Amino acid sequence: MELQMDSLVGMREIWKARQRIAEFVAATPLIYSDVLSERAERPVYLKLETANETGSFKVRGAANKILSLSNEQKKRGVAAFSTGNHGLAVASIARKLGIEATICVSDRVPEAKLELLKRLGAHIEVTGSSQDAAAERCERLEKERGLIAIPPFDDPFIIAGQGTIGLELLEALPDLTDAVIPLSGGGLLSGIGLALKVNCPDIRVTGVSMTRSAVMHESLKAGKPLELDESETLADSLLGGIGLDNRHTFQMAKKYMDNSILISEQDIARSMAFMLTRHRMIVEGAAATGVAAVLKHKIPHKAGSMAIIISGHNVGMDVLKQVLQQYG
């Protein structure tokens, strides 16, 4: 299985993705965090995927996938299921290319993300209370209307697009020894993990998830893809299943991830407040998980630089207000 997987997703595909998406996605900033470096007693850098136009890393994979479609496929329109950020990315790239986009979401997706989707001109379909329900609706649209589904994570083009972050890290931090990456369906970690491990096998890759409904974490423990009920969490971008028929990211996460860490809701909230008060940055709950791992000393010390992927900033002001009232 791994031989087939690697033939579909390898370094060549990541380099191709970088060239393909260059017109739509610029390299994102990497900034030194003095306060986190002090806590970790080593250099800590923040990779700001929040600087992307749609406010998250998802635009990389979405752009790579959509740009790989044939003209006939583009004319049929695209569909996606999403907890928010993937939908925003698909809608944004589709609008720029003049492609019709339909985004399927569950009723758990925050209103702030739905408003952004509407502004991007996407058709929105709200269905069920889980990402799995939204995925089923997306699959029906593909069969009934011929739309081209743009998967959120378990796809070679999506994985390769996210892997371009790994190339940027290697170029900017020659002494990188740790990468801390939010983990959900595994597209982000699989792409970055591949790029880092193939070039520098000693770089330690840590996945971070919330304690509630951490499907990939629990699936890896069980040795097979699982389904879990979704729970309310500040890290809503990390909700959703990995698919019982997962073809790529389960095996890639297993191959390239060294450690998987779970973060409590309280620590996610504290880290969101920390980023706002100490770095003057708005980050969503998923993006705060890596910061929490450092603040709680969950990453064992190792010489060299650490990079934390700050995956997105699409969070409602009402959520931020609550977080600040408690921990600001």
Side-chain angles (χ1 to χ4, degrees):
M1 184 174 184
E2 288 190 357
L3 288 175
Q4 181 185 21
M5 174 197 69
D6 287 345
S7 69
L8 291 172
V9 190
M11 283 305 302
R12 185 187 298 272
E13 284 65 47
I14 294 178
W15 283 109
K16 285 180 179 178
R18 181 172 184 166
Q19 184 177 45
R20 188 180 287 123
I21 70 176
E23 181 182 346
F24 296 91
V25 185
T28 51
L30 183 73
I31 67 165
Y32 177 76
S33 172
D34 55 350
V35 62
L36 288 174
S37 297
E38 184 178 335
R39 296 285 183 97
E41 299 183 335
R42 58 186 294 199
V44 175
Y45 293 83
L46 305 176
K47 182 62 168 166
L48 302 182
E49 290 301 295
T50 52
N52 286 309
E53 186 176 350
T54 58
S56 87
F57 72 93
K58 288 285 191 177
V59 70
R60 296 174 183 263
N64 192 43
K65 179 67 175 180
I66 294 174
L67 289 167
S68 73
L69 300 178
S70 67
N71 289 332
E72 187 276 330
Q73 288 174 314
K74 292 174 183 175
K75 288 177 183 177
R76 287 158 59 184
V78 298
F81 61 95
S82 172
T83 52
N85 285 332
H86 177 62
L88 292 171
V90 170
S92 175
I93 296 299
R95 183 179 68 168
K96 289 179 179 179
L97 295 173
I99 300 171
E100 183 177 304
T102 300
I103 311 300
C104 303
V105 300
S106 77
D107 57 16
R108 291 183 183 276
V109 173
E111 188 63 31
K113 291 180 180 177
L114 293 179
E115 286 301 318
L116 289 171
L117 282 170
K118 292 173 186 176
R119 288 206 293 270
L120 288 171
H123 302 288
I124 303 170
E125 296 215 5
V126 180
T127 178
S129 297
S130 70
Q131 180 160 279
D132 289 339
E136 290 173 7
R137 179 56 182 158
C138 185
E139 186 176 341
R140 287 200 300 273
L141 290 175
E142 187 177 18
K143 293 177 180 177
E144 295 169 3
R145 293 170 47 190
L147 302 181
I148 304 299
I150 309 298
F153 54 87
D154 194 32
D155 178 273
F157 289 97
I158 298 294
I159 294 167
Q162 320 307 24
T164 59
I165 298 172
L167 298 181
E168 293 171 20
L169 289 175
L170 290 169
E171 290 171 343
L173 292 175
D175 68 334
L176 180 69
T177 54
D178 266 295
V180 183
I181 307 168
L183 176 65
S184 179
L188 179 63
L189 187 140
S190 295
I192 296 176
L194 168 63
L196 297 182
K197 290 288 193 178
V198 166
N199 288 281
C200 301
D202 61 334
I203 293 177
R204 186 169 54 190
V205 172
T206 299
V208 281
S209 307
M210 66 286 180
T211 54
R212 300 176 180 176
S213 307
V215 182
M216 182 64 83
H217 176 91
E218 297 299 333
S219 294
L220 290 168
K221 280 176 58 179
K224 63 181 181 179
L226 300 176
E227 287 183 340
L228 298 179
D229 291 334
E230 292 185 8
S231 304
E232 292 295 333
T233 174
L234 286 167
D236 58 274
S237 293
L238 300 184
L239 284 174
I242 67 170
L244 295 180
D245 59 346
N246 187 288
R247 295 179 57 209
H248 306 286
T249 59
F250 176 78
Q251 289 296 332
M252 292 184 75
K254 180 179 178 181
K255 181 175 182 177
Y256 296 119
M257 182 169 64
D258 297 291
N259 300 305
S260 180
I261 293 173
L262 298 182
I263 305 296
S264 71
E265 291 298 303
Q266 185 178 61
D267 287 335
I268 292 172
R270 283 179 172 149
S271 297
M272 292 172 72
F274 170 89
M275 289 296 289
L276 192 54
T277 57
R278 301 299 294 269
H279 276 291
R280 298 297 187 264
M281 290 183 193
I282 293 174
V283 303
E284 58 194 59
T289 55
V291 175
V294 174
L295 291 176
K296 297 297 290 185
H297 302 287
K298 290 179 176 287
I299 310 295
H301 189 274
K302 189 177 183 180
S305 294
M306 179 193 303
I308 303 172
I309 308 302
I310 306 299
S311 53
H313 69 190
N314 295 316
V315 57
M317 290 300 108
D318 56 332
V319 175
L320 277 181
K321 184 178 179 181
Q322 282 185 323
V323 165
L324 282 174
Q325 284 175 342
Q326 285 184 284
Y327 301 108

